[in-house]
Amino acid sequence: MASPTDVGDTGSGADGRTGNRSDAGGASSGRAPVGAGADAGEAGRRLRSITTAFFGPLSSSPAGLRRHRWWLDALLVFLVIRAVGILVLARFADLRGTTLGDSLAVWDGQWMIAIATHGYDGVPYALTDARGLHTVDTAYAFFPGYPYLVGLIAKLPGLSPFGAAITVNLFLGCVAAVGAARLGMVCARLMARRSPVGPAPERGTGLFLVVLFAATPMSIVLNMAYTEALFCALAVWALVAVLEKRWLLAGLVAAICGLCRPTAAVLIGVVMLAAVVFLWQARGTAVPRAARVRALVAIVISPLGYLAYLCVVWVHTGSPTGWFRIQTEGWDTRFDWGVAAFGFVNEMLVHSAEIAPVATAWIVLSTLAMLCVAVWSRMPWPVLLYGSLLVAQIVLSSGLMMSRPRLLLPAFVLLIPLAMALARMRPVVAGLIVVPVVVGSSWFGAHMLTVFPHAM
């Protein structure tokens, strides 16, 4: 991996742009071409500008390669850790008399593939809600972003819906990993002077956040036919865009995320609030009018995807609260101020002899502990608010308690202080900590999919 040096060593600003116009596609000497050549040149410059904004100036020189080693290392780390998880699951599946493919398409994965294949109205009646029922409304509990994307990719030659689902999530997991590395670097830079954790190497923080993301207790779901990979990819890049004040990107990503799952409401709220705060602070300052307009556009477009799907379900059911009714009746999901979670944790830790429920209870408690650490560490407020509201939405609601490790996965941003602490350690010490985490994550995911008999 690249040495944990600061991401700012290339002269890039908070938004990832550089002053090197030759690398970024700036104007070159000589007369500009005309006609089609000019259009092609302009398109090329725009593409290079977008690429530079995310990954730094691309160059074949050794110095250029070192500058964007951070995202190459992030991909490598993520893929290696996820490969370990898949290998452990394959071994568990073989010992349990099932297959790796079947294990990666269980529970909600069956719904996703069915919607991708047949549409909402053609889902087989063998698929049921938590009560064991299937009505004409049941499938509408699942947001369309991921299954429709899978259905689109499945139209490519040689790809089945299951193959498309796994391929899409492999790609989205990589996108999320690069975003996690970028978010870790940005947060390490912003927290360097104000956090009690102390300054930490930016690239090291980013890479360790990728490690922790790839090794969360239910990270196996990133390789399943589930929405977590898509949601994490969108959420992390929306947060990066907010911190770097790329308002159009933040608003667009939040709008797309609203089509993916109900917890997108948290991300949408954070993007909108951050844009409002930016506009408020820009009053009476020299902030360009264009920047203010972009922030305003982000506020307007962020909730469109989420509201659009709620309206689709409204039309289908005839009720503006149709989606919430389907979710409550089918999966007993309602806001109960944490009563169900509190009872579950107490019951499992005191009376349960099964390892999966006990581990789930400890995961919930550990998440709350990490939330406290995140507050103490003075993380950037949009990231902290997103993680806090997401945890609150999950922990303070009823429903299937065994799904909590999976639903809490997108709150991995709360692990940024731990990533900073690991980046400050000697590599050997950090390795002694993360290796058991990776092994434990691989075991837990395989256990939940092949040994634990209920939905997760």
Side-chain angles (χ1 to χ4, degrees):
M1 294 187 295
S3 60
T5 57
D6 288 352
V7 70
D9 60 5
T10 65
S12 59
D15 61 354
R17 294 184 175 88
T18 76
N20 189 338
R21 292 185 57 83
S22 61
D23 285 335
S28 58
S29 61
R31 297 182 62 185
V34 297
D39 293 340
E42 179 62 21
R45 284 191 291 272
R46 289 183 179 180
L47 178 60
R48 287 192 295 272
S49 177
I50 294 172
T51 305
T52 297
F54 282 97
F55 302 114
L58 300 181
S59 171
S60 58
S61 67
L65 291 175
R66 285 194 296 271
R67 277 196 293 267
H68 52 263
R69 273 279 302 275
W70 66 270
W71 63 269
L72 296 174
D73 287 344
L75 288 176
L76 179 62
V77 167
F78 176 78
L79 291 173
V80 167
I81 294 176
R82 293 309 324 129
V84 172
I86 292 296
L87 290 174
V88 172
L89 175 60
R91 181 56 177 162
F92 268 62
D94 182 60
L95 294 175
R96 298 288 297 180
T98 185
T99 66
L100 177 62
D102 289 342
S103 300
L104 294 176
V106 295
W107 309 122
D108 287 0
Q110 296 176 342
W111 282 96
M112 297 299 165
I113 293 174
I115 294 172
T117 305
H118 308 289
Y120 279 92
D121 296 328
V123 172
Y125 273 77
L127 297 178
T128 64
D129 58 23
R131 303 169 299 171
L133 302 177
H134 184 116
T135 71
V136 294
D137 299 333
T138 306
Y140 285 84
F142 299 93
F143 277 54
Y146 177 69
Y148 277 16
L149 176 61
V150 169
L152 179 65
I153 300 300
K155 297 182 184 300
L156 296 176
L159 271 182
S160 66
F162 171 75
I166 301 305
T167 302
V168 164
N169 274 358
L170 176 62
F171 172 77
L172 292 171
C174 291
V175 174
V178 175
R182 179 67 166 261
L183 182 65
M185 291 189 292
V186 173
C187 287
R189 180 167 62 246
L190 295 176
M191 296 168 64
R193 295 183 179 181
R194 71 187 188 203
S195 174
V197 177
E202 292 179 16
R203 290 190 183 182
T205 299
L207 287 178
F208 276 113
L209 185 60
V210 174
V211 171
L212 297 173
F213 167 62
T216 51
M218 273 306 294
S219 57
I220 187 64
V221 78
L222 297 172
N223 300 107
M224 298 175 64
Y226 271 68
T227 62
E228 269 71 18
L230 176 58
F231 181 78
C232 288
L234 294 172
V236 72
W237 278 109
L239 293 173
V240 169
V242 166
L243 295 182
E244 297 181 348
K245 295 180 173 55
R246 299 173 180 272
W247 297 115
L248 292 182
L249 176 63
L252 178 62
V253 172
I256 297 172
C257 196
L259 294 170
C260 299
R261 57 191 294 169
T263 47
V266 168
L267 180 69
I268 293 167
V270 169
V271 170
M272 294 177 68
L273 180 60
V276 169
V277 171
F278 171 77
L279 290 173
W280 179 265
Q281 294 175 340
R283 293 177 309 131
T285 67
V287 174
R289 181 175 182 272
R292 303 176 193 232
V293 171
R294 288 192 290 268
L296 184 60
V297 171
I299 296 172
V300 173
I301 68 176
S302 291
L304 294 183
Y306 183 76
L307 295 177
Y309 184 63
L310 293 185
C311 288
V312 168
V313 182
W314 178 359
V315 171
H316 175 76
T317 61
S319 169
T321 60
W323 182 86
F324 300 96
R325 176 184 59 78
I326 296 170
Q327 190 69 21
T328 300
E329 292 179 355
W331 284 267
D332 192 31
T333 302
R334 56 172 59 87
F335 193 79
D336 69 347
W337 297 98
V339 173
F342 181 81
F344 172 81
V345 170
N346 280 270
E347 179 69 20
M348 295 305 105
L349 293 183
V350 175
H351 299 295
S352 178
E354 296 185 49
I355 191 166
V358 172
T360 297
W362 278 113
I363 289 169
V364 172
L365 293 177
S366 299
T367 302
L368 296 176
M370 284 308 305
L371 176 57
C372 295
V373 173
V375 173
W376 167 80
S377 68
R378 302 182 66 184
M379 285 173 52
W381 73 263
V383 182
L384 178 61
L385 182 62
Y386 161 79
S388 302
L389 292 179
L390 184 63
V391 171
Q393 189 178 41
I394 302 304
V395 174
L396 301 181
S397 298
S398 62
L400 299 175
M401 288 295 117
M402 294 303 298
S403 67
R404 287 335 186 228
R406 172 176 65 84
L407 296 176
L408 288 170
L409 188 155
F412 75 92
V413 298
L414 298 176
L415 297 171
I416 289 174
L418 177 57
M420 292 177 65
L422 288 169
R424 289 164 55 93
M425 297 178 184
R426 294 176 56 188
V428 173
V429 176
L432 291 175
I433 294 174
V434 300
V435 168
V437 171
V438 172
V439 173
S441 166
S442 301
W443 168 84
F444 184 75
H447 179 89
M448 291 296 290
L449 295 184
T450 62
V451 179
F452 187 70
H454 307 296
M456 56 82 203

